[in-house]
Every structure is written in structure tokens, then in C-alpha cells.
Amino acid sequence: GAGVSQSPRYKVAKRGQDVALRCDPISGHVSLFWYQQALGQGPEFLTYFQNEAQLDKSGLPSDRFFAERPEGSVSTLKIQRTQQEDSAVYLCASSPTRRGLQNTGELFFGEGSRLTVL
Amino acid sequence: GENVEQHPSTLSVQEGDSAVIKCTYSDSASNYFPWYKQELGKGPQLIIDIRSNVGEKKDQRIAVTLNKTAKHFSLHITETQPEDSAVYFCAEGLRQLTFGSGTQLTVLP
């Protein structure tokens, strides 16, 4: 596809269940980000991958959150033992460049996966 | 990036009028400031960005101004149209972005 694709678009989980959210970035994009967006708020950084390397996971709220990108393309965000406070939209974004002092530029966001924990 | 404050949280304007959204930031080392537009059910989309070596940037009806001394930057939309209605986010950062809390802009026909 032409853009960042995320699945599922909607997920309802019972408290305590594990969930997995998938992100297909734009082909060839080096950088991949996960953000969490609570209702009525701006996106908040969770984690960053450069190719298959997870270079920053400082935004993950707890050890129940785990992300991987084993082959440097598709990424999965896994949340174990979901809690009600995990309810949010999870946004994936990709960028063709490595991120750093001289490389900023546009992040291409997917439409997000809306997680509701009952 | 650290903290980004965005005002106002909601803004209604008549079609054809201008809209201004303001953000302040705390990290004096910040040097990249993008603005994203998010429509309902969609992901944010970049509309304009500015780097710290520039004070103003324009792209048709959209402009961004940056005051590094005061640590604030603003989005200006002129000749607003109904399709400009959306949530707008300011952000700052080099690697990961720190976003403001958003402004719901409504352009009344």
C-alpha cells in the first residue's frame, strides 16, 4: 500500500487479556515509531526503531508493553495483561530517514488502532 | 523535548477569517517544530514545519512563526475554509516528537 497500514483498526479486550497490534510501514522506511493517543490528547511517544534495532523505549509505560520489528519492516506492539488505563489509540509512524540532529522531517502516520479495555 | 503547551484548546472562526494557534516549549535545545493536522478517525498529517535557524515559513494559506528567545511558535491559517476544520497539534523534537494537547478548529460556513 501507499501509506502506513495498521491492524486491527478496533480492538476490544477484557481486562487481563493480551493484545497485539500490527504496523506495516511505508516500504523502505528506516525509522518506525509507536505513539499512544488518549482521548482528547496529543500523541505520546512510546518507542522508536531504526531498522530492526529498538533504539529508544523510554516511553513505554510499563513492562507490560513490548514492541518488536524483527526484520526491519513490520512491527508489532504487544500489551500483556491489559488494564483499563491502556485504552487509547495506538499510532504507528514511519520515516524514510534516520532520526537525529540533522535528520528530522515528516513522520507518516497510520490511522491507528483503537484499543478499548473493559 | 520536554513540555509543550498549546492554546487555545478550541477555536471557532467564520469562513474566510484567520486562525492563530500558539505553542510554548521548555527545552531550549529544541530546533525542529512541526505542525500536524488530524481529521476524525485519521492519523496526524504534517502540514508545515520550521527549523530554529528560520523565523518564519509560509506555504500558501499556512504560515508558522518561531521566537526562540521567548520559546514560542505559532500557526497562522488565512482565508479559512470548512475543510480546514480538524484538530491541530504543534510538536517539537529531533528524534521522537513531543506533541501539544491539540486545538479543535471549527470553520463555520
Side-chain angles (χ1 to χ4, degrees):
Chain A
V4 177
S5 178
Q6 292 189 245
S7 61
R9 288 294 314 279
Y10 304 93
K11 175 70 178 177
V12 178
K14 291 183 179 178
R15 189 175 56 180
Q17 284 185 332
D18 297 348
V19 299
L21 308 176
R22 176 188 170 104
C23 173
D24 279 272
I26 295 172
S27 178
H29 276 200
V30 169
S31 294
L32 185 145
F33 296 81
W34 284 97
Y35 283 83
Q36 180 189 59
Q37 186 173 26
L39 189 64
Q41 299 297 316
E44 291 193 0
F45 169 77
L46 294 177
T47 187
Y48 163 64
F49 288 87
Q50 180 179 301
N51 296 307
E52 70 279 3
Q54 188 175 21
L55 298 187
D56 190 341
K57 54 182 181 180
S58 62
L60 296 177
S62 77
D63 58 7
R64 297 186 294 105
F65 287 71
F66 172 78
E68 61 182 3
R69 193 187 185 197
E71 298 179 356
S73 55
V74 171
S75 177
T76 303
L77 176 67
K78 298 179 180 178
I79 308 172
Q80 297 178 322
R81 304 181 304 280
T82 52
Q83 304 294 315
Q84 285 188 323
E85 61 262 29
D86 300 335
S87 296
V89 175
Y90 290 85
L91 294 166
C92 176
S94 69
S95 167
T97 60
R98 297 171 183 163
R99 308 297 289 193
L101 187 63
Q102 299 301 327
N103 294 310
T104 49
E106 182 171 5
L107 292 187
F108 296 84
F109 281 87
E111 295 189 328
S113 292
R114 179 178 294 278
L115 172 64
T116 302
V117 182
L118 302 177
Chain B
E2 295 177 4
N3 194 37
V4 179
E5 293 192 0
Q6 182 171 346
H7 301 281
S9 57
T10 61
L11 178 60
S12 292
V13 298
Q14 289 294 136
E15 182 176 358
D17 287 350
S18 295
V20 180
I21 303 170
K22 299 182 179 182
C23 287
T24 60
Y25 61 96
S26 59
D27 187 354
S28 57
S30 297
N31 63 5
Y32 176 64
F33 307 92
W35 286 88
Y36 281 79
K37 175 184 180 182
Q38 187 174 29
E39 298 177 337
L40 195 62
K42 305 288 187 182
Q45 184 174 14
L46 180 73
I47 55 171
I48 195 167
D49 58 12
I50 192 168
R51 287 169 173 77
S52 59
N53 57 346
V54 176
E56 183 176 3
K57 182 178 178 181
K58 286 185 178 180
D59 182 4
Q60 299 183 351
R61 298 186 296 110
I62 296 173
V64 56
T65 58
L66 171 65
N67 183 327
K68 282 218 76 177
T69 303
K71 295 188 206 172
H72 65 71
F73 56 113
S74 301
L75 177 71
H76 304 252
I77 306 174
T78 58
E79 301 172 28
T80 53
Q81 302 167 2
E83 52 265 36
D84 294 331
S85 296
V87 180
Y88 291 81
F89 293 98
C90 61
E92 65 84 22
L94 297 173
R95 178 175 282 177
Q96 69 266 29
L97 295 175
T98 300
F99 286 84
S101 55
T103 296
Q104 173 70 63
L105 174 65
T106 303
V107 179
L108 305 169

